[in-house]
Amino acid sequence: MSLSIFLLWLLNIPLLTHSLAVPDVRGYLINCGGGESELDMGSLKYITDEGFTSAGNRSSVNHPNLLPILSTLRYFPDASARKYCYVIPVIKGGKYLVRTVYYYGGFDGGKEPPVFDQIVDGTKWSTVNTTEDYASGLSSYYELVVVAMWKMLSVCLARNERTVSSPFISALEVVFLEDSMYNTTNFGMYALSTVARSNFGSDGDLICYPDDQFNRLWQPFKDHNPAVTSHSSVTSSDFWNLPPAKSFENAITASRGKELRMRWPPGNLPETSYYISLYFQDNRTPSPQSWRVFTVSLNGKNFYTDLNATTSGVTVYAARWPLSGQTEIVLTPADGMPVGPLINAGEIYQILPLGGRTLARDALAMDELARNLNNPPSDWSGDPCLPKENSWTGVTCSSGKFSRIVTIDLSNVGISGSISSSIAKLTALTHLWLGGNRLSGTIPDMSSLKTLRTLHLENNKFEGQIPESLAQLAKLHEIFLQYNNLYGEIPPALLRRKDMFIQVFPGNNVKKPA
């Protein structure tokens, strides 16, 4: 597999329909492209994606025995758009598991799925390449654990140099997680991208809701090592990451006095840092002798010495651990142990640096500006500035810890509506070019835009008077207002500005002051 896939490990979901007894989860389960208001998957309810995105088209996949959420999708044919976003209401500061699900199904008449990027807020998350899975008759999913910085979380798709047809998505899930989960990660700077999550010693179905209350998917994993079944259960709430009790039901082990060696995850990993959590439980009937001690190492480096696994279960983790290539886990029993070591489950996440974000005030102002426009560019949702190559059409931004809106140029793009008063919050704006459209209403107060240099509102349908406050903007030296429906006098203070070029004629019912 290529490195682009390993930016986030590609996992597989079998396509055959099976019974899912799943209660509601805290968050959103979205059936992308679906026409029904609610899709019933047992007791798991998926809702339509209407209202979460304004871009793209619906399509269906005609394939027998598909899970219902894979039978529809939304695709995005507009090649001029820099990204296509879903925007989800969330709790600011809340921790979420984001899952994107893909099944191509040849919806566009092609034979091979497109390759494209996915973005969360202002960060490129991964490259989506489902080609290998689709050739094997499987769907694909990607996961990310992220903390919401605002009250809205955007999940976007974007074309890249490898994209030859329309990006698409089958389902999107955004599930609220408890604060204690994975809490050694600095989520102000990083997200966790799922590499693998497995229950060992099982060859059955994957573990999901209701066994995992957050609908995390635990893939069964079995190798050449012997598998055993536990004779007692654990309490999920005793563990920070709240693993499902069912993930402790099976384990892989080794004989007395023998090392347990396992290669997991099975593929090669890119050289970077990972969050690793491993879970253990003595599988015997609880008694004073039901415990075993062993040392855990990863790729020859000591991970934990003299771990004591009891029937109550134990977890060990590393918040940041370097891995590269094939990963080998070795469990070495302590001297004199009457039983061999064992392991029940594990999670590995790649630590993903966040790519920055737009200043909240600017982002909120741009959202309000977009809502007041009819027919804005289809990529006017999500983070306005980031990633830089996926900023909104017509928008340029500054660099730095928080990006600021510097230029808005939507000249001659066919938009209508009005300019929201929120424009006054874009205090880093230097150029505002909206000429050649069908905008109406009054020109809002812009006295706070101290860095504004040029203002182009010509060839629209603006009404009212020319704001006197424009004369207060010391850096403003160019104003184009011709061909609108403005009236009254040109503010004298504007005419006194020797450094100002102002064009208001023809097309307005305005006059110079006497």
Side-chain angles (χ1 to χ4, degrees), residues 113-153:
V115 177
F116 49 91
D117 293 334
Q118 55 185 358
I119 298 164
V120 60
D121 284 341
T123 300
K124 180 183 174 181
W125 167 5
S126 64
T127 295
V128 176
N129 188 342
T130 66
T131 304
E132 184 174 326
D133 278 355
Y134 179 65
S136 300
L138 299 169
S139 61
S140 310
Y141 68 88
Y142 297 78
E143 288 182 350
L144 194 73
V145 178
V146 64
V147 166
M149 298 302 173
W150 320 120
K151 294 182 179 180
M152 307 297 285
L153 182 73

Side-chain angles (χ1 to χ4, degrees), residues 295-308:
T295 293
V296 182
S297 66
L298 267 66
N299 291 347
K301 295 182 179 180
N302 185 54
F303 191 78
Y304 198 95
T305 301
D306 293 337
L307 175 68
N308 186 3

Side-chain angles (χ1 to χ4, degrees), residues 53-56 76-86 156-157 375-382 391-393 410 415:
T53 183
S54 57
F76 304 92
D78 183 2
S80 66
R82 296 179 180 179
K83 58 187 171 188
Y84 323 96
C85 294
Y86 283 80
C156 311
L157 310 181
N375 194 36
S378 60
D379 54 18
W380 269 46
S381 63
S391 63
W392 292 6
T393 293
L410 291 183
I415 56 174

Side-chain angles (χ1 to χ4, degrees), residues 30-207:
I30 299 173
N31 178 30
C32 299
E36 300 178 6
S37 58
E38 186 173 84
L39 177 63
D40 192 339
M41 296 269 293
S43 34
L44 183 64
K45 311 297 183 185
Y46 283 77
I47 60 177
T48 178
D49 61 0
E50 293 296 329
F52 296 104
T53 183
S54 57
N57 302 324
R58 296 175 178 174
S59 186
S60 58
V61 176
N62 296 318
H63 192 291
N65 300 319
L66 275 181
L67 288 170
I69 62 168
L70 302 180
S71 64
T72 63
L73 56 82
R74 184 171 290 271
Y75 69 98
F76 304 92
D78 183 2
S80 66
R82 296 179 180 179
K83 58 187 171 188
Y84 323 96
C85 294
Y86 283 80
V87 180
I88 312 299
V90 290
I91 300 171
K92 182 179 179 180
K95 191 178 298 176
Y96 291 87
L97 175 70
V98 178
R99 180 183 296 128
T100 52
V101 182
Y102 301 96
Y103 181 65
Y104 172 58
F107 75 90
D108 56 359
K111 296 183 179 180
E112 188 170 300
V115 177
F116 49 91
D117 293 334
Q118 55 185 358
I119 298 164
V120 60
D121 284 341
T123 300
K124 180 183 174 181
W125 167 5
S126 64
T127 295
V128 176
N129 188 342
T130 66
T131 304
E132 184 174 326
D133 278 355
Y134 179 65
S136 300
L138 299 169
S139 61
S140 310
Y141 68 88
Y142 297 78
E143 288 182 350
L144 194 73
V145 178
V146 64
V147 166
M149 298 302 173
W150 320 120
K151 294 182 179 180
M152 307 297 285
L153 182 73
S154 64
V155 180
C156 311
L157 310 181
R159 294 169 182 261
N160 59 32
E161 66 279 358
R162 300 174 61 191
T163 307
V164 295
S165 57
S166 299
F168 72 96
I169 184 170
S170 302
L172 170 62
E173 304 174 14
V174 179
V175 177
F176 184 80
L177 301 178
E178 297 293 338
D179 286 343
S180 66
M181 300 173 69
Y182 316 108
N183 64 359
T184 55
T185 300
N186 179 358
F187 284 102
M189 298 181 63
Y190 303 99
L192 296 179
S193 182
T194 306
V195 173
R197 185 188 301 111
S198 301
N199 63 309
F200 301 132
S202 171
D203 53 8
D205 292 335
L206 59 78
I207 298 172

Side-chain angles (χ1 to χ4, degrees), residues 384-442:
C385 295
L386 298 168
K388 185 177 181 180
E389 62 272 22
N390 305 110
S391 63
W392 292 6
T393 293
V395 174
T396 57
C397 305
S398 66
S399 302
K401 181 179 180 181
F402 295 105
S403 294
R404 302 293 311 276
I405 309 297
V406 174
T407 300
I408 300 175
D409 182 0
L410 291 183
S411 303
N412 304 300
V413 297
I415 56 174
S416 59
S418 60
I419 301 180
S420 167
S421 59
S422 68
I423 196 78
K425 298 178 181 178
L426 301 177
T427 54
L429 192 64
T430 59
H431 303 283
L432 178 60
W433 289 27
L434 300 175
N437 290 293
R438 299 187 300 276
L439 297 169
S440 58
T442 59

